[in-house]
Amino acid sequence: MSDSQQPDRPQPPAGHPNRPPADGPPPTAARCPSAARSPEGGKPDAAAPATQPVAEPDVREPEAAGSVGRVFGGMPEAGGDGPRFDGEGSDAASRRDDRRQGSAPRWWSRPAAAPVDEARSAEPKPDAGDPDATDPFAFPGAAPVGTPRYDPWADRPLQVTDLGGHTPRAPRLWQLAAVGAVIALLAGGVGGYLGIVAERRSSTRLELPQAAAENKGRAPDSVAGIAATALPGVVTLHVNGGATGGTGTGFVLDDQGHILTNNHVVAGAKDMTVTFSTGESVPATLVGRDGGYDLAVVKVTGVRGLRPLALGNSENVKVGDPVVAIGAPFDLSNTVTAGIISATGRPITAGGDKGDGSDISYVDALQTDAPINPGNSGGPLLDSRAHVIGINSAIRGADQGEDDESGSRQSGSIGLGFAIPVNQGKRVAEELIRTGRATHPVIGVTLDMQFKGDGARVGTKGEDGKPPVVADGPGARAGIKPGDVITKVDGVRVQGGDELIIKIRAHRPGDPLRLTVLRDGRERTLEVVLGSANGS
């Protein structure tokens, strides 16, 4: 259907923005570039050529501070007078002159406002937000009445703004860094927790089999049971001798604080400290000591809860019986070792550092293979019932070597330990507590210690011009003569003078003995009642 055949459409009243101008058809959306209009009317100029050269648009910035228009490139008129717009009229020439002179074109300025129809402006305007408020005379697709229209010449072009608040700013760098750190921490924590849970639940986790913890006691006759019973009554002695010091062991004898140890542990001591298995340390004083038996008694005061050890009977000890030794080897307190009785009645001598024999101890010892080391001296040797059967006193060390001319021995246990029988220790301890001195049993003779044959020979000369057999002494009353060789004591053979002394000191003063004597190639048996002498 052509434009002339379109049906009549109702026209809006005069002054309506959508009413077409009275002198021509409604404005078109675009203008054909090949058509030119005359300056006087809206009809095309017949004299204009079919094609015209396109003028270059003027892109110079306007000099007027108030101009807000945009540069448009238009088609030149028929006479080459530059771009022209509808409604300019006779102003085209003046604008061309301005452009030639370099000033801003006048058509860049905002056009004058159109006259306002007072009658129409007085009419009530529909609400722009009402969807039913439409113009009945509007063209199809036209905006509703009251909607703001785009005006390029307005002070401010129509823009969409957020009237509810300020425009949000982009996050700053430190905010992004803080958020990233928080996310990283959360991710790390969650990942670590999930990893631990997964590792615990994983079937590949390595867990070695282990027995469950038990709170069972030990048999009283086991090593652990013996140690548990005896340890509270064992102490460690730290001795200060001025220029030297030493460490030894002892054990509690009674509730009064008496402690038994070795003489060589406390000899020359100026002050002593006793440390119990609980770690409590208290000073101690010397009660008495005896070098011949290598025994001493010290005492502590002001200590409660003492645990005295029970004393056994060394006469009941048999070879092969299990034993436990407790001591402080090399100052390692509460050390427990175990072994057996290797021999009984083993005659040993210890000491002799003074050279006059006054510090030599003669012991009819119990031999054990329980490890005993320096620092164990004075500690208890216990049987299977945790009874004391001996006092650890000496060890046999290995020779340093055949080429060692000094004759020194290696320090440390080689399985040869010796303990004073508790029966002997008990008697000596009682005497030391009671009088501060111990008595020694004697037979009243002087022995020839240089004799190399079997047995112990009575000397032919006494010390300091004294007779070798004390007049009216135990030996003289039994019939012993100078030069007699004593070969047996109570039927037990002796190999030398030291062994005879050891066998005699294993008894108490007043005990009877049977001595086998070799005289003029004939053996005879003599009955002797042991006498008494004060010890050193």
Side-chain angles (χ1 to χ4, degrees), residues 132-430:
D132 296 333
T134 58
D135 188 356
F137 302 102
F139 293 102
V145 175
T147 302
R149 299 179 64 189
Y150 175 71
D151 183 3
W153 313 109
D155 292 339
R156 292 184 180 179
L158 179 64
Q159 298 179 0
V160 177
T161 59
D162 184 6
L163 301 178
H166 65 278
T167 303
R169 295 184 301 177
R172 297 183 178 179
L173 181 59
W174 68 269
Q175 293 175 331
L176 295 176
V179 172
V182 171
I183 294 175
L185 290 175
L186 291 177
V190 173
Y193 173 77
L194 294 178
I196 293 174
V197 172
E199 190 273 337
R200 289 181 177 178
R201 295 182 179 179
S202 175
S203 60
T204 60
R205 181 186 179 189
L206 177 62
E207 184 173 355
L208 299 176
Q210 183 181 20
E214 297 180 356
N215 191 19
K216 293 183 178 180
R218 296 294 184 266
D221 58 349
S222 67
V223 175
I226 296 170
T229 302
L231 276 173
V234 180
V235 301
T236 300
L237 284 84
H238 295 91
V239 179
N240 182 14
T244 61
T247 302
T249 308
F251 60 92
V252 179
L253 290 173
D254 54 29
D255 294 334
Q256 298 176 9
H258 292 107
I259 296 171
L260 182 62
T261 184
N262 283 137
N263 174 70
H264 70 266
V265 171
V266 300
K270 294 183 177 180
D271 57 78
M272 293 176 290
T273 301
V274 171
T275 303
F276 292 86
S277 61
T278 58
E280 180 184 4
S281 296
V282 295
T285 58
L286 180 64
V287 175
R289 64 187 184 91
D290 186 88
Y293 290 113
D294 193 21
L295 291 173
V297 174
V298 300
K299 185 178 181 179
V300 296
T301 57
V303 180
R304 298 181 179 179
L306 294 175
R307 299 278 297 273
L309 297 188
L311 303 182
N313 193 327
S314 54
E315 296 293 336
N316 299 329
V317 176
K318 302 299 180 182
V319 174
D321 285 347
V323 291
V324 172
I326 301 178
F330 301 101
D331 203 14
L332 300 174
S333 301
N334 306 321
T335 297
V336 178
T337 58
I340 63 170
I341 293 295
S342 302
T344 61
R346 184 75 74 187
I348 64 168
T349 59
D353 296 335
K354 291 184 178 180
D356 58 359
S358 61
D359 61 336
I360 297 177
S361 61
Y362 300 89
V363 180
D364 194 21
L366 300 174
Q367 180 181 331
T368 178
D369 65 347
I372 297 176
N373 294 281
N376 275 100
S377 296
L381 186 67
L382 307 163
D383 63 10
S384 59
R385 292 181 295 177
H387 292 171
V388 179
I389 60 174
I391 301 95
N392 300 319
S393 179
I395 61 173
R396 169 76 182 193
D399 295 336
Q400 294 285 3
E402 296 180 357
D403 298 335
D404 187 1
E405 297 179 356
S406 65
S408 62
R409 300 183 183 275
Q410 179 181 355
S411 178
S413 174
I414 60 173
L416 295 174
F418 303 96
I420 301 171
V422 70
N423 290 10
Q424 183 175 335
K426 176 178 178 295
R427 180 185 69 82
V428 173
E430 290 171 348

Side-chain angles (χ1 to χ4, degrees), residues 36-39 45 47-49 52-53 75-84 96 100:
R37 302 179 64 87
S38 63
D45 189 357
Q52 294 287 341
M75 295 302 297
E77 298 295 339
D81 293 331
R84 181 180 179 187
R96 283 196 301 270
R100 291 190 185 98

